[in-house]
């Protein structure tokens, strides 16, 4: 499945959705990514931008990858509430 995110809040929502689909707690994800649970919480809330190496650790733990592509024409509503 492809998820689109352009803001820290949207990235956090994708991470949270994926984590919950796996049945993991924030602590489970933190342990797998080598981070603190509080860091996962901050990322999922999109409160402040995460360092790229931290984000890559989280994505790797979730078996997700980071891609850079040409920007699509999707609206913010379509990104935050995929069909």
């Amino acid at each position: 499945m492809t998820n689109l995110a352009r803001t820290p809040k949207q990235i956090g929502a994708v991470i949270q959705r994926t984590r919950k689909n796996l049945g993991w707690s924030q602590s489970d994800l933190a342990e797998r990514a080598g981070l603190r649970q509080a860091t996962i919480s901050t990322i999922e809330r999109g409160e402040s931008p995460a360092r790229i190496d931290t984000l890559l650790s989280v994505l790797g733990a979730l078996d997700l990858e980071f891609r850079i592509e040409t920007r699509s024409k999707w609206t913010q509503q379509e990104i935050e509430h995929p069909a």
Side-chain angles (χ1 to χ4, degrees), residues 7-8 11 15 40 68:
T7 67
I11 292 168
I15 288 169
I40 301 301
I68 298 174

Side-chain angles (χ1 to χ4, degrees), residues 3 9 13-14 21 25 29-30 38-39 45 57 62 64-65 67 81:
N3 292 289
K9 183 177 178 180
V14 170
N21 286 341
S25 67
L29 176 53
T39 302
R45 288 192 312 270
S57 294
L62 291 168
L64 298 175
E65 63 186 16
R67 292 182 185 207
H81 303 285

Side-chain angles (χ1 to χ4, degrees), residues 29-36 57 61:
L29 176 53
E31 184 177 327
R32 287 171 168 85
L35 301 167
R36 297 178 320 121
S57 294

Side-chain angles (χ1 to χ4, degrees), residues 18-70:
T18 304
R19 173 183 61 76
K20 287 183 175 182
N21 286 341
L22 291 169
W24 295 355
S25 67
Q26 287 182 344
S27 295
D28 293 331
L29 176 53
E31 184 177 327
R32 287 171 168 85
L35 301 167
R36 297 178 320 121
Q37 178 273 328
T39 302
I40 301 301
S41 178
T42 299
I43 291 169
E44 287 186 357
R45 288 192 312 270
E47 291 181 347
S48 61
R51 290 177 29 170
I52 191 72
D53 59 330
T54 301
L55 188 57
L56 291 172
S57 294
V58 172
L59 295 176
L62 291 168
D63 202 26
L64 298 175
E65 63 186 16
F66 179 78
R67 292 182 185 207
I68 298 174
E69 297 180 357
T70 303

